[in-house]
Amino acid sequence: MSPNNNGNIRAYKKPINLNIGIIFFTVILFYIIICVYMYFSQKQIYGYVVKNGSLSESNVYEAVALRDEVVINSPYSGYINYFAKESERAGANKLVCTVDESGQILDLVNSAEGNEVLLSENDLSEIRNQVADFSGSFRKNSFSSAYDFKFNVQGSVLKLSNSNLLNSISDLYGTSIGSSINVCNAPRSGIVVYSVDGFEDYSSSDVTKEWFEKENYEKTQLINNDIVEKGQPIYKLSTNENWRLLFPLDSERAQELLEEEYVKVKFLKNQNESWGKVNVITGLDNETYIELTFTNSMITFVTDRFVDIELITDMETGLKVPNSSIVEKEFFMIPEAFIEKNGSGGETGVLRETYNEDGSIIPEFISVNIYNVEDGEYYVDDSVLRIGDNLLKADSTEKFTVSKAGTLVGVYNINKGYADFKQIQILNQNEEYSIIKSNTNYGLIAYDHIVLDASSVSEDEFIYQ
């Protein structure tokens, strides 16, 4: 045979070899693609579990304090030296400060700085309490309170250190030095404050929004050993325990508080609580303000013009639902006398007038769902009845024509897998949630499932979750 004879050589066909792993993976991939497509193409309905709760309503306000305050001006010029402690009561004709025309008291103070002053346990406890109150109430956004704390502590120390100095001053009377020292006694009883801010002569009727702009607020601290001019303020007295707090509020909420007459207030500075008498005031700018009048605690805040408070009011509690779940729905209103019970199945329904082929009238029992009862009238679904239907009363010739409609506020319950309207009674509401009455007839109970967005479903629609 010739070596060049290749006529019997044929190409080899490779047999098809199916890989079961590739087939299985392909099927799963197609299944995932179909599921993802169905998920994004179908309407998304989200549920919400109803639970008991209350509305978190902001009741914290920054109020302006008004007191009966008398500013005392200096009858002399010279160096001022304070001997009464700030935030304590000074009796009538009791020493508050001296005005030294020669500066001799300042020399006495400087010479006494090296002398030891022993503090009693009561004195130490008082200073500790001041430090604790400040550290507990300090906020970085109101750093000016640090200066108030500084002057309060200085006043406490000053009272202790000046107790011995008073004896030295009394020894100077009758001498040439003593003749330049002018004693300033309190003209009347009151709480001593060593600062002025221009609010001392204001009354509640003078209030405007500008009062609450703290960036424009100016407070002048009266400093020990400073030079004062004749007629310049040297201290002030708060002469009445009754005092007032004012803050802006919308007119509707203001009227609600006014109806309560008294409201409990928590002072955020020390967490103490007190009852304030409520009054509504129209300011010079025609805005609405709340005035709370107190008969105690004035001395605690006597150096504060701005006081942070929280109103403690009775909060409505009940079932908490999102406002997005709430919907209004129309129903036919049927008199109670025309609501019947099906003897065999116990279903609730009505007898609708229908006609036989011969034209005779026969009653047809139509099952209806009851959604509410009010003043002897039943709210029934409008999907099974039509306007103009005549309803019959059992064992009577009396008829009722369906025409009257009423609106109910409710949510869609999805416990059974479809959207079922349930009426609700709203007790309180804010921008996001409503508090509704629990355990009502035809209503909701705790842990019911409702549609989060009522606009995403329609009545009796099946819910797939």
Side-chain angles (χ1 to χ4, degrees), residues 303-320:
T303 60
D304 299 321
R305 186 60 67 188
F306 295 92
V307 180
D308 292 325
I309 61 172
E310 179 182 3
L311 304 185
I312 303 176
T313 56
D314 294 333
M315 293 186 298
E316 292 281 6
T317 59
L319 301 178
K320 188 174 182 179

Side-chain angles (χ1 to χ4, degrees), residues 41 52 62 77 126 142 169 178 227 242 267 269 281 307 310 328 420 429 434 441:
S41 61
N52 288 301
E62 185 175 60
S77 297
E126 181 179 343
S142 61
I169 294 175
I227 297 178
N242 296 336
F267 298 102
K269 178 179 180 179
I281 291 177
V307 180
E310 179 182 3
E328 289 187 356
D420 183 20
Q429 193 174 46
S434 294
N441 292 331

Side-chain angles (χ1 to χ4, degrees), residues 8-25:
N8 293 329
I9 298 176
R10 299 179 180 178
Y12 176 75
K13 294 182 179 180
K14 187 177 181 181
I16 298 175
N17 185 15
L18 297 178
N19 189 321
I20 189 65
I22 294 177
I23 296 174
F24 183 72
F25 175 78

Side-chain angles (χ1 to χ4, degrees), residues 66-69 89 188-191 237-244 294-295 298-299:
L66 293 184
R67 295 168 283 264
D68 293 344
E69 298 171 319
R89 181 174 296 276
R188 56 189 297 187
S189 176
I191 310 301
L237 294 173
S238 293
T239 59
N240 197 327
E241 186 65 19
N242 296 336
W243 62 301
R244 305 165 302 285
F294 301 89
T295 59
M298 184 275 291
I299 192 171

Side-chain angles (χ1 to χ4, degrees), residues 247-448:
F247 56 92
L249 198 63
D250 65 89
S251 57
E252 182 178 350
R253 178 63 173 148
Q255 288 302 317
E256 291 177 1
L257 293 179
L258 184 61
E259 291 175 1
E260 297 183 19
E261 190 174 359
Y262 286 88
V263 63
K264 183 184 285 189
V265 175
K266 177 188 286 187
F267 298 102
L268 301 186
K269 178 179 180 179
N270 55 11
Q271 302 299 306
N272 289 343
E273 297 178 357
S274 184
W275 287 89
K277 182 176 175 58
V278 180
N279 187 28
V280 177
I281 291 177
T282 301
L284 294 179
D285 52 3
N286 292 321
E287 297 291 334
T288 301
Y289 299 87
I290 285 291
E291 178 191 59
L292 299 178
T293 303
F294 301 89
T295 59
N296 54 39
S297 306
M298 184 275 291
I299 192 171
T300 305
F301 304 94
V302 70
T303 60
D304 299 321
R305 186 60 67 188
F306 295 92
V307 180
D308 292 325
I309 61 172
E310 179 182 3
L311 304 185
I312 303 176
T313 56
D314 294 333
M315 293 186 298
E316 292 281 6
T317 59
L319 301 178
K320 188 174 182 179
V321 300
N323 291 339
S324 60
S325 299
I326 299 174
V327 65
E328 289 187 356
K329 191 175 185 300
E330 281 196 349
F331 298 88
F332 287 130
M333 300 179 68
I334 308 299
E336 182 179 5
F338 290 86
I339 301 296
E340 303 289 341
K341 288 285 188 180
N342 189 340
S344 58
E347 293 179 302
T348 302
V350 294
L351 297 177
R352 183 168 61 183
E353 181 182 79
T354 58
Y355 297 89
N356 277 332
E357 293 179 357
D358 59 2
S360 61
I361 298 175
I362 62 171
E364 177 189 9
F365 182 83
I366 303 296
S367 177
V368 296
N369 292 323
I370 306 298
Y371 292 90
N372 189 35
V373 181
E374 187 177 289
D375 298 330
E377 293 186 302
Y378 283 66
Y379 288 76
V380 302
D381 194 357
D382 60 358
S383 62
V384 293
L385 296 176
R386 298 180 298 273
I387 293 178
D389 282 348
N390 288 322
L391 304 183
L392 303 176
K393 186 177 180 181
D395 302 326
S396 174
T397 59
E398 190 176 349
K399 296 182 180 181
F400 173 79
T401 302
V402 176
S403 61
K404 186 178 179 180
T407 301
L408 293 178
V409 177
V411 297
Y412 287 118
N413 187 308
I414 54 175
N415 288 348
K416 299 178 181 178
Y418 62 91
D420 183 20
F421 182 89
K422 295 290 184 181
Q423 185 217 7
I424 61 173
Q425 297 180 29
I426 299 177
L427 301 176
N428 201 357
Q429 193 174 46
N430 61 17
E431 294 180 357
E432 296 183 2
Y433 290 93
S434 294
I435 298 299
I436 67 173
K437 193 173 182 179
S438 60
N439 299 321
T440 59
N441 292 331
Y442 313 105
L444 295 176
I445 61 174
Y447 300 104
D448 273 349

